[in-house]
Amino acid sequence: MTHFMSEDEVAFQNCRSPICEGQIKPLVTKMDEKAEMDPSLVKQFFEMGPWGSNLQKKYGGSGSSFFMACLAVEELSRVDGSCGVLVDVQNTLVTNALLRWGTEAQKEKYLTKMSSQWVGSYCLSESGSGSDAFALQCRAEKKGDRYVLNGHKLWITNAKEASIFIVFATVDKNLGYKGITAFIVEKGLTGFHHRKKRRQTWDPRVEHCELVFENCEIPAENVLGEVGKGYKTAIETLNEGRIGIGAQMIGVAQGAFEAALKYNPRPPTIRQSIDGKSGCTISTGRYGHTP
Ligand SMILES: Cc1cc2nc3c(=O)[nH]c(=O)nc-3n(C[C@H](O)[C@H](O)[C@H](O)COP(=O)(O)OP(=O)(O)OC[C@H]3O[C@@H](n4cnc5c(N)ncnc54)[C@H](O)[C@@H]3O)c2cc1C
């Protein structure tokens, strides 16, 4: 299916492009050398707007669409894949889950912070449950008006920077996937901490941490969606999150293509080198046309 971008979407993309080129690109080599994010960048992301891009204005967002949020991820990934990952998790997973499953009180409390200062993490995977996410072992036991969380999460992107975590745990292992429930967990709660980062070879800067819950008490009002329906929250959010991963990959590929063009500024041609006759030109939208 072809999606023709509207004028607003093109304008949105075009205004982000110079910001990424001017403010992020100059920092990339230094950040790679140090293998860490420039601390000023996260603050800058909020100021330049891509974080809150799919949030309504009443929560402090720009009122843009989910598609525009993906465009922001694509533009960031074009100059720096690590920044793209950070913003993608924020926009397409955490913000999205809260928008779709949160109560109005939860949205009011958390989305206003996420549009201006709070980074979010999405916490599903564990050492024994990756593809088979519903085999998760993290437990949430109801005690009065609270849930007590015990267990571990692994590979959690943004965990070092995050103030809010969407955590999936089971209220009753005997119920299988129907026990899985999503919780909103705030940074700094007793019994909750992240352990030293685990790095991926392709991405030395974004930190994918282990989270530890040891008798961590969460107010019952912080259940996101219905108790026992966390599997639905997880699947449906991840389905949309995959669109964000696609945006990252397109951005990274565009960046690589543009970098390669510096060594050969002519648009690449195909088949010419094979039979010397046909002149079919291939190009991305940014560079021209297919005659
Ligand atoms: C960079 C990065 C960031 C991440 N960020 C997050 C995050 O923020 N939050 C989070 O919750 N998780 C995160 N993850 C974890 C991610 O969701 C898991 O890595 C993913 O679900 C796969 O799980 P796994 O690594 O345990 O691989 P496995 O599930 O062990 O899979 C290993 C391989 O086996 C294959 N396989 C699995 N099951 C089957 C089967 N039944 N039949 C045939 N083949 C199979 C898979 O396709 C894969 O090739 C992140 C991972 C990475 C690499």
Side-chain angles (χ1 to χ4, degrees):
M1 195 176 78
T2 308
H3 174 84
F4 293 101
M5 281 166 60
S6 68
E7 276 181 26
D8 282 352
E9 287 162 354
V10 173
F12 180 91
Q13 187 177 40
N14 287 345
C15 80
R16 263 152 188 77
S17 189
I19 297 174
C20 295
E21 291 285 338
Q23 296 181 31
I24 298 176
K25 205 170 187 176
L27 301 173
V28 170
T29 307
K30 203 166 164 199
M31 290 195 294
D32 277 346
E33 280 165 9
K34 290 174 112 180
E36 63 181 31
M37 280 285 170
D38 185 302
S40 69
L41 261 187
V42 172
K43 193 166 167 275
Q44 222 171 313
F45 286 148
F46 285 113
E47 284 163 9
M48 68 172 85
W51 289 99
S53 60
N54 57 331
L55 280 179
Q56 290 112 307
K57 290 189 174 159
K58 66 175 170 173
Y59 303 123
S62 60
S64 310
S65 62
F66 180 80
F67 182 75
M68 285 177 173
C70 290
L71 285 179
V73 169
E74 185 184 315
E75 281 307 303
L76 284 167
S77 302
R78 195 165 64 79
V79 296
D80 186 52
S82 300
C83 290
V85 176
L86 241 90
V87 173
D88 181 36
V89 169
Q90 176 91 350
N91 278 345
T92 70
L93 292 179
V94 186
T95 298
N96 221 18
L98 282 163
L99 270 174
R100 189 147 173 199
W101 306 96
T103 61
E104 198 43 53
Q106 288 170 339
K107 289 181 193 175
E108 187 62 41
K109 182 172 179 186
Y110 293 113
L111 290 178
T112 42
K113 288 182 176 143
M114 289 192 71
S115 64
S116 58
Q117 48 182 313
W118 276 16
V119 176
S121 275
Y122 191 83
C123 317
L124 180 65
S125 304
E126 299 178 4
S127 55
S129 68
S131 306
D132 186 11
F134 297 161
L136 62 81
Q137 299 289 315
C138 193
R139 300 186 316 279
E141 193 186 342
K142 182 104 195 280
K143 284 199 174 158
D145 61 352
R146 311 187 85 70
Y147 281 89
V148 182
L149 257 61
N150 277 288
H152 294 241
K153 294 286 168 186
L154 215 55
W155 307 117
I156 305 306
T157 306
N158 290 358
K160 192 179 149 224
E161 294 85 5
S163 298
I164 175 172
F165 301 76
I166 307 292
V167 178
F168 294 87
T170 177
V171 293
D172 183 351
K173 274 192 68 184
N174 297 322
L175 294 175
Y177 73 91
K178 289 189 175 170
I180 295 173
T181 305
F183 296 88
I184 303 168
V185 178
E186 290 184 34
K187 181 184 179 175
L189 288 179
T190 307
F192 169 41
H193 62 275
H194 70 267
R195 278 201 187 132
K196 103 179 157 46
K197 61 196 172 190
R198 295 176 178 242
R199 284 186 175 146
Q200 319 296 299
T201 50
W202 64 275
D203 180 5
R205 273 187 272 134
V206 176
E207 301 191 2
H208 310 279
C209 300
E210 177 179 5
L211 304 184
V212 182
F213 298 94
E214 289 165 331
N215 293 320
C216 173
E217 292 191 12
I218 319 283
E221 68 201 31
N222 277 27
V223 168
L224 179 65
E226 287 177 51
V227 173
K229 292 278 176 66
Y231 69 95
K232 204 168 153 57
T233 307
I235 290 175
E236 294 188 11
T237 314
L238 284 174
N239 280 346
E240 294 189 349
R242 288 188 182 104
I243 300 170
I245 305 273
Q248 279 179 47
M249 297 305 113
I250 291 170
V252 168
Q254 279 180 341
F257 180 66
E258 287 165 13
L261 271 186
K262 287 185 191 142
Y263 298 94
N264 179 8
R266 285 178 303 161
T269 55
I270 56 170
R271 295 198 63 202
Q272 266 183 336
S273 58
I274 301 170
D275 60 17
K277 291 176 192 161
S278 48
C280 177
T281 306
I282 56 164
S283 169
T284 73
R286 273 171 204 282
Y287 288 95
H289 45 270
T290 306

